[in-house]
Amino acid sequence: MVSYVRGLIDDMADRDSEDVVQDVILGIWDTADVTIPLDKLSAYVYRSLKNRVIDLMRSRKNHLSFDSTLNAERS
C-alpha cells in the first residue's frame, strides 16, 4: 500500500506516504461496522488511499512557501 501511495505522489517523502497509509487504515478501523458486510475490502482501501492523496494534494496547493515569497521580494 505504501508503494501505491508513493506512485501517486512522487514529490512527498517516504514518511509522508507511510503516514497516509496509517491514517487511512486507522480511519477504516475506527469506522468499521461489523454488521455490514464489505464485499470488496481491497477496492475500498485503495479508493480511500487515492482519495486521501487527492485531499493532501489540494491542501498542499493552497500553502505558500516562504522561499518563494522571499525570492519574489528580492527581485
Side-chain angles (χ1 to χ4, degrees):
M1 287 187 268
V2 173
S3 62
Y4 174 73
V5 174
R6 282 184 196 147
L8 292 175
I9 45 176
D10 54 354
D11 62 337
M12 295 176 66
D14 293 338
R15 186 174 184 174
D16 287 339
S17 43
E18 291 174 358
D19 291 341
V20 168
V21 171
Q22 180 181 2
D23 190 35
V24 167
I25 296 300
L26 285 175
I28 291 171
W29 183 262
D30 287 340
T31 59
D33 187 5
V34 294
T35 60
I36 300 172
L38 198 60
D39 295 332
K40 306 209 183 219
L41 181 61
S42 62
Y44 182 78
V45 169
Y46 281 100
R47 176 56 68 180
S48 298
L49 286 170
K50 185 175 181 180
N51 289 340
R52 185 62 52 102
V53 167
I54 291 170
D55 291 344
L56 281 175
M57 298 298 249
R58 286 180 185 159
S59 67
R60 288 181 187 259
K61 188 184 212 181
N62 296 333
H63 296 293
L64 285 176
S65 171
F66 287 119
D67 294 332
S68 65
T69 307
L70 290 175
N71 290 337
E73 289 177 0
R74 290 179 186 170
S75 302

